[in-house]
Amino acid sequence: MSKRIKGFEKAPFSVKPLYAASKKMVGKVVEPLKVQAHRPIIAWFGNLLGLAIQRSGKVEERIHIMAQLRAAQIVECPF
């Protein structure tokens, strides 16, 4: 499946902290973040939502990771 939207390789000013955090956590900037950089408000609030879910403690960490993996499989994420 080819991408319909090209992501930003170089971070726009408003999402530089998110690019840096992605590099620190994963070792590279993940493609969904590059695409979300077209709309910085979506990038920021999407990441805040993920952080809120992670820190809430309501969902066990391994279940959260498995759900993310399954969602990626469903949408045929190429990573």
Side-chain angles (χ1 to χ4, degrees), residues 1-5:
M1 177 182 250
S2 65
K3 297 182 283 185
R4 295 183 298 184
I5 302 172

Side-chain angles (χ1 to χ4, degrees), residues 18 40-50:
L18 296 176
I41 195 80
I42 292 172
W44 276 103
F45 280 105
N47 281 291
L48 283 175
L49 176 62

Side-chain angles (χ1 to χ4, degrees), residues 57-73:
K58 301 278 184 191
V59 179
E60 210 176 304
E61 182 68 22
R62 68 184 182 96
I63 301 295
H64 182 77
I65 291 170
M66 289 187 335
Q68 286 178 326
L69 178 62
R70 184 62 185 140
Q73 289 173 333

